[in-house]
Amino acid sequence: MLLLVPVTGAAQTRHATTPAPAPAVAMEPTGPTVVMDTSAGRILCRLYTKEAPQTTANFIALAQGTKDWNGSDGTVQHAKPFYDGLQIFGVTDGISSGDRTAFGLGTAGPATAAEKTGLDFDRAGRLAEAAPKGQEDSSRFQIIAHADLEKSKGAVVFGQCDDASIAIAAGVSHDLLSTDNHPEHPVILRKVMIVAEGEPMPPPTPAAPGEATLTVPPPPPPAVPAPEPTGPTVTIETSMGTMSCKLFSKEAPIGVANFIGLATGTKPFKNPTTHAEVRGKHFYDGLSFRRVLPDFMVQNADMPGDSGGDGNIGFKFENEIVPGLTFDRPGRLAYANAGPNTNASEFFITEHAVHRLDGNYTIFGQCDDATAKIVEAIARVPRDAHNRPLTPVLIKKVMVESKK
């Protein structure tokens, strides 16, 4: 639902004679209902068959077994439902399934150009097909538990789930992400059914024999022992508490020197608006956290005085990827980037272990347990569909202590 806030004050007076715009009407699905019986409960989503005909037809055919697909051994499976019995994984703000061989690989056919539907991730409960780099996956889908327009370029919306299903997706997502998708017992997608309007709902699908004994193997042990930070400690005073992180000076010397230089005002940078060089300014003081994502991380704004981020401050530097230094624990302090070797000033702090980030981001600090709790609280403040806090969470001051 889109809430339109009326204009107040002088602006309202100036435009009093202008007719108010008609409220935006959310596009509702009119197709059949998808019934997903999982080991965590029943999920109901109605399909946008008119707006996303290609995607819905593919999903229905796989669910009902009218589309052939390849088994894990490469043999063609005919007249067999694709989704039944698959594992569910946690993703940022939701859950995902539809992969028979490994997380991230589909087996239901080649990817196709992403369908243009006019639908977006502007509300919780969106059912979407994965579409990385504009290529729509043949089987992987996700359900989001919060509006998230950042997902717009990576998936195609083709359904809308009800409120009870959103609550299930949120709970499952939390349980799975808090274990880095390695819970003791997997969450199983028992059966996917398509119910036309007017048809009765099918009875709940019982657990398959042996489901209760299924376990998820733990992640393999690291090939190289994880180093511990030996550099100075940085204190980040925020409007929601004070964080403390020790830096990896030996493992990430470039990143650590950059952070200390910006924090203490000894490193110059360019004003992203005027492009004038700025010297002697403590860069981070007064910024805010512009991205907050529960069970994932919080990320600071990049532009001085602008919570929107994405400002060019005059330099970029390379990634420092160190064997053994991974996202294997909560409280990792790392640089955000827009691809390899595009680090500048944006940093993020993780809430849990998150191995899917390994090898792509420079880890330059480890924060203590109390900081991880603050990250957890910040990540759960009310936010908009761009994951920006509705009330800014400020970085009041960043201090670098002398190494003891």
Side-chain angles (χ1 to χ4, degrees):
M1 178 177 180
L2 181 61
L3 177 63
L4 299 181
V5 181
V7 179
T8 58
Q12 185 180 34
T13 301
R14 288 197 302 270
H15 300 288
T17 59
T18 302
V25 178
M27 191 179 299
E28 297 298 337
T30 57
T33 296
V34 178
V35 180
M36 301 184 192
D37 279 342
T38 81
S39 55
R42 171 167 281 187
I43 294 174
L44 301 175
C45 312
R46 196 160 187 189
L47 299 181
Y48 285 100
T49 48
K50 293 181 180 179
E51 295 78 11
Q54 170 187 308
T55 306
T56 54
N58 178 75
F59 184 87
I60 291 171
L62 287 173
Q64 295 181 328
T66 59
K67 177 181 177 179
D68 290 348
W69 48 276
N70 294 326
S72 58
D73 60 357
T75 59
V76 175
Q77 304 294 307
H78 182 68
K80 183 177 180 181
F82 177 86
Y83 295 109
D84 298 357
L86 292 186
Q87 186 174 346
I88 292 175
F89 295 89
V91 295
T92 304
D93 269 334
I95 56 176
S96 176
S97 190
D99 177 9
R100 277 208 165 264
T101 56
F103 190 43
L105 298 174
T107 59
T112 57
E115 187 172 19
K116 305 297 183 183
T117 67
L119 302 168
D120 213 337
F121 290 87
D122 53 351
R123 56 197 288 196
R126 290 306 207 189
L127 170 64
E129 194 81 6
K133 298 181 180 179
Q135 292 296 303
E136 188 169 344
D137 191 275
S138 57
S139 62
R140 285 188 300 135
F141 67 87
Q142 60 183 275
I143 298 170
I144 65 166
H146 187 279
D148 190 347
L149 293 174
E150 293 182 351
K151 295 181 180 290
S152 298
K153 295 182 179 180
V156 175
V157 174
F158 69 100
Q160 177 62 40
C161 307
D162 63 16
D163 290 344
S165 300
I166 294 170
I168 291 174
V172 172
S173 177
H174 169 71
D175 291 344
L176 294 177
L177 291 179
S178 63
T179 64
D180 198 20
N181 275 311
H182 283 82
E184 183 179 356
H185 298 286
V187 179
I188 301 300
L189 181 57
R190 291 173 177 168
K191 190 174 183 62
V192 176
M193 296 161 282
I194 308 298
V195 179
E197 186 172 6
E199 291 183 352
M201 284 290 158
T205 305
E211 180 182 299
T213 63
L214 292 175
T215 59
V216 178
V224 178
E228 295 298 328
T230 57
T233 296
V234 60
T235 301
I236 305 172
E237 183 182 339
T238 81
S239 55
M240 290 185 64
T242 299
M243 302 173 168
S244 179
C245 312
K246 198 170 181 65
L247 302 182
F248 286 102
S249 295
K250 293 181 180 179
E251 292 78 11
I254 299 172
V256 168
N258 178 77
F259 183 84
I260 292 176
L262 290 174
T264 59
T266 59
K267 180 170 184 172
F269 60 91
K270 288 186 178 180
N271 182 298
T273 303
T274 65
H275 307 294
E277 186 174 74
V278 180
R279 292 180 174 272
K281 178 178 174 56
H282 293 201
F283 180 88
Y284 294 107
D285 296 1
L287 297 188
S288 65
F289 288 100
R290 73 174 182 90
R291 291 183 73 214
V292 295
L293 291 160
D295 293 308
F296 187 21
M297 59 89 190
V298 298
Q299 180 178 330
N300 78 294
D302 190 39
M303 291 175 64
D306 184 344
S307 62
D310 301 326
N312 182 353
I313 59 173
F315 61 84
K316 297 185 187 299
F317 58 93
E318 61 268 33
N319 289 0
E320 294 171 289
I321 307 301
V322 178
L325 185 53
T326 65
F327 289 91
D328 63 345
R329 65 195 71 180
R332 288 303 204 195
L333 172 63
Y335 280 106
N337 63 46
N341 306 322
T342 59
N343 307 289
S345 68
E346 280 190 76
F347 65 83
F348 63 93
I349 305 173
T350 57
E351 182 179 338
H352 305 298
V354 54
H355 277 295
R356 67 180 183 272
L357 301 182
D358 289 351
N360 295 305
Y361 301 90
T362 296
I363 299 171
F364 67 99
Q366 175 59 45
C367 306
D368 61 17
D369 292 343
T371 298
K373 289 295 184 183
I374 295 172
V375 169
E376 181 180 344
I378 294 174
R380 284 161 180 76
V381 300
R383 56 192 164 119
D384 65 15
H386 295 278
N387 299 312
R388 298 187 185 113
L390 300 182
T391 300
V393 180
L394 299 178
I395 298 174
K396 297 180 178 180
K397 190 173 185 179
V398 175
M399 297 166 286
V400 180
E401 300 174 354
S402 298
K403 182 180 176 182
K404 296 181 181 180

